[in-house]
């Protein structure tokens, strides 16, 4: 299970050292995942910040990390970074292709200093291809993979799933999988370091593998809102309640469907489950029935059943749900309620042990712990983290 505390890193990756070249979005989230699992993550922040208009104290993707401040465009900056690379197991960067090379911290320079280094690259478009040098964000990456076009109602524009499907599911998680696999290879006899090219377009496309198989078999139509798992099915979707809130229904299997319609009180509509021509009729009956009670009332009706029905909660409501509270799915650290580290380990639990890293606040501590005095300034001190610095690098 996950834990909280203020001690040193704990978890299955304790002892693994990670250098993160500061960016925004999926790269920092991937580094946070590694830190949550016990890795010692040192984030190299740039003077002037990352460009996000958020107080660093609330940037939870930087929890469990330490920060040093290095202007990567300044003379001698690459050497300071390479001094950490020599002592690291993993490096993560999220610049456009070629930027790290121009800064002197690309794979060639890093592997010359540390042949076993796992060099993780996080981009939207990938390291090569016609769009590799183009700017982009989550919504564009999932758009061209067909993933965005699957989400939403048939008669409406595609629904935007925040930046969860592209940045974090198709990006961060695939980078972490790749980094851990490459780390395993590097640590086997005869193994070496290598570059992990994690592109959000690749990961977002890969997430839809099952759907492509269903489509090839004729079990999925290439349009949204008409299929079993995309809201087209009347017993797999969201329904408004009397108080303007929603209940989520996922009663796919026959035994779950039978319990669902019994508790909902529409047993007469049971045959419509397998009759596609009556799905519209069934959807109307379900919707009408849900509008007769509030969300909390329906939650009580389905409590303890196998009808596969759950209330749709807000971000602020979720931590108070009895199941999530019992499991400790959310935790409080530094006065901020936040998701606890996941997944869980019986012998080596991860933990939230440090608040979000303040840019440049940990240089002396890192220099001591990593035996890397070269990351400090020429006079043996660290530059002022609040000082003005170079323009932000394109990420």
């Amino acid at each position: 299970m996950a834990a909280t505390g203020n001690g040193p890193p704990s978890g299955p990756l304790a002892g693994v050292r990670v250098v993160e070249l500061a960016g925004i979005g999926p790269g920092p989230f991937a580094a946070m995942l590694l830190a949550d699992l016990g890795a010692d993550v040192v984030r190299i922040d740039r003077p002037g910040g990352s460009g996000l208009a958020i107080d660093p104290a609330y940037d939870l993707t930087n929890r469990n990390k330490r920060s040093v401040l290095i202007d990567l465009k300044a003379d001698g900056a690459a050497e300071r970074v390479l001094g950490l690379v020599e002592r690291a197991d993993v490096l993560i960067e999220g610049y456009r292709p070629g930027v790290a090379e121009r800064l002197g911290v690309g794979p060639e320079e890093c592997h010359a200093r540390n042949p076993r280094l796992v060099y993780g690259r996080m981009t939207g478009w990938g390291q090569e291809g016609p769009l590799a040098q183009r700017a982009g964000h989550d919504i564009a990456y999932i758009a061209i993979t067909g993933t965005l076009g699957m989400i939403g109602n048939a008669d409406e524009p595609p629904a935007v799933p925040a930046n969860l499907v592209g940045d974090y599911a198709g990006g961060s998680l695939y980078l972490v999988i790749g980094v851990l696999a490459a780390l395993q290879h590097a640590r086997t006899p005869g193994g070496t370091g290598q570059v992990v090219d994690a592109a959000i377009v690749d990961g977002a496309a890969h997430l839809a593998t099952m759907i492509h198989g269903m489509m090839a078999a004729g079990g999925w139509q290439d349009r949204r809102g008409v299929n079993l798992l995309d809201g087209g099915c009347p017993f797999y979707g969201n329904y408004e309640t009397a108080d303007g809130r929603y209940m989520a229904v996922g009663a796919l299997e026959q035994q779950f469907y039978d319990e669902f319609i019994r508790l909902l009180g529409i047993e007469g509509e049971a045959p419509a489950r397998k009759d596609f021509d009556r799905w519209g009729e069934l959807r109307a009956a379900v919707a009408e029935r849900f509008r007769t009670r509030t969300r909390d009332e329906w939650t009580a009706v389905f409590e303890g059943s196998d009808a596969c029905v759950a209330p749709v909660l807000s971000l602020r409501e979720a931590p108070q749900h009895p199941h999530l509270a019992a499991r400790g799915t959310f935790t409080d650290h530094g006065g901020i309620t936040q998701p606890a580290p996941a997944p869980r380990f019986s012998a080596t639990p991860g933990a939230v042990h440090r608040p979000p890293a303040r840019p440049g606040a940990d240089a002396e501590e890192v220099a001591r712990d990593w035996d890397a005095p070269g990351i400090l300034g020429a006079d043996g001190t660290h530059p002022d983290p609040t000082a003005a610095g170079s323009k932000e690098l394109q990420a």
Side-chain angles (χ1 to χ4, degrees), residues 233-236 248-267 270 273-274 282 286 290 302 304-310:
C233 171
F235 41 93
Y236 195 90
V249 177
L252 292 176
E253 292 82 358
Q254 183 68 57
Q255 68 270 30
F256 304 148
Y257 176 79
D258 291 341
E259 188 158 4
F260 165 60
I261 60 169
R262 178 180 65 81
L263 292 173
L264 191 64
I266 58 168
E267 292 95 326
R273 179 179 182 271
K274 296 183 178 179
L282 176 58
V286 172
F290 266 120
F302 290 103
S305 77
D306 275 346
C308 299
V309 178

Side-chain angles (χ1 to χ4, degrees), residues 70-104:
I70 299 177
D71 182 351
L72 290 169
K73 292 185 176 181
D75 291 342
E79 183 60 32
R80 294 169 67 193
V81 173
L82 293 173
L84 288 174
V85 165
E86 286 183 353
R87 297 158 171 82
D89 301 289
V90 177
L91 180 143
I92 289 176
E93 62 95 356
Y95 303 141
R96 292 196 204 187
V99 171
E101 285 82 350
R102 291 196 297 272
L103 293 169

Side-chain angles (χ1 to χ4, degrees), residues 14-394:
V16 173
R17 287 178 169 178
V18 179
V19 173
E20 176 197 352
L21 303 184
I24 59 175
F29 189 78
M32 182 206 76
L33 286 173
L34 297 174
D36 281 355
L37 298 181
D40 183 2
V41 178
V42 172
R43 176 177 167 95
I44 298 179
D45 279 298
R46 65 192 70 162
S50 66
L52 283 180
I54 180 174
D55 183 337
Y58 294 94
D59 187 353
L60 294 177
T61 63
N62 286 328
R63 73 185 186 189
N64 286 341
K65 303 177 185 179
R66 296 187 286 185
S67 171
V68 301
L69 202 68
I70 299 177
D71 182 351
L72 290 169
K73 292 185 176 181
D75 291 342
E79 183 60 32
R80 294 169 67 193
V81 173
L82 293 173
L84 288 174
V85 165
E86 286 183 353
R87 297 158 171 82
D89 301 289
V90 177
L91 180 143
I92 289 176
E93 62 95 356
Y95 303 141
R96 292 196 204 187
V99 171
E101 285 82 350
R102 291 196 297 272
L103 293 169
V105 292
E108 184 176 349
E109 294 86 354
C110 288
H111 283 142
R113 301 286 281 269
N114 183 351
R116 288 186 175 271
L117 181 76
V118 174
Y119 195 105
R121 314 199 82 164
M122 182 75 261
T123 60
W125 306 114
Q127 294 299 310
E128 68 277 323
L131 298 178
Q133 292 296 333
R134 288 270 299 276
H137 280 294
D138 175 291
I139 193 169
Y141 308 140
I142 65 175
I144 71 164
T145 63
T147 311
L148 179 62
M150 292 193 301
I151 305 171
N153 296 325
D155 55 350
E156 297 176 1
V160 180
N163 67 329
L164 304 178
V165 174
D167 279 354
Y168 298 141
S172 303
L173 295 183
Y174 279 86
L175 177 59
V176 169
I177 291 170
V179 162
L180 295 180
L183 186 61
Q184 166 67 14
H185 170 73
R187 292 183 165 187
T188 58
T192 62
Q194 59 183 306
V195 175
V196 178
D197 175 6
I200 294 172
V201 290
D202 297 344
H206 193 261
L207 288 170
T209 299
M210 183 189 76
I211 304 299
H212 281 277
M214 294 174 67
M215 189 166 60
W220 188 277
Q221 299 182 58
D222 192 15
R223 54 196 182 98
R224 65 182 169 277
V226 295
N227 296 289
L228 188 66
L229 301 173
D230 66 356
C233 171
F235 41 93
Y236 195 90
N238 302 312
Y239 288 93
E240 188 175 9
T241 56
D243 54 351
R245 297 179 177 179
Y246 291 86
M247 296 294 290
V249 177
L252 292 176
E253 292 82 358
Q254 183 68 57
Q255 68 270 30
F256 304 148
Y257 176 79
D258 291 341
E259 188 158 4
F260 165 60
I261 60 169
R262 178 180 65 81
L263 292 173
L264 191 64
I266 58 168
E267 292 95 326
E269 301 294 335
R273 179 179 182 271
K274 296 183 178 179
D275 186 349
F276 291 169
D277 292 335
R278 293 185 60 192
W279 270 15
E281 171 190 334
L282 176 58
R283 184 186 304 281
V286 172
E288 181 180 4
R289 182 65 176 153
F290 266 120
R291 284 193 291 266
T292 64
R293 297 185 184 182
T294 66
R295 186 193 68 181
D296 291 346
E297 288 172 336
W298 281 119
T299 298
V301 168
F302 290 103
E303 188 73 27
S305 77
D306 275 346
C308 299
V309 178
V312 178
L313 303 183
S314 71
L315 291 174
R316 292 190 184 278
E317 289 177 310
Q320 278 73 52
H321 188 277
H323 180 76
L324 303 185
R327 282 186 57 80
T329 299
F330 292 85
T331 187
D332 290 303
H333 189 273
I336 303 175
T337 299
Q338 55 196 281
R344 304 179 184 206
F345 299 85
S346 60
T348 57
V352 179
H353 58 88
R354 295 180 72 102
R358 302 292 186 115
D362 308 299
E364 294 183 16
E365 183 179 279
V366 171
R368 180 196 68 225
D369 293 348
W370 283 41
D371 190 22
I375 66 170
L376 300 174
D379 60 354
T381 62
H382 193 54
D384 180 1
T386 64
S390 61
K391 294 181 178 179
E392 178 182 314
L393 297 172
Q394 287 186 321

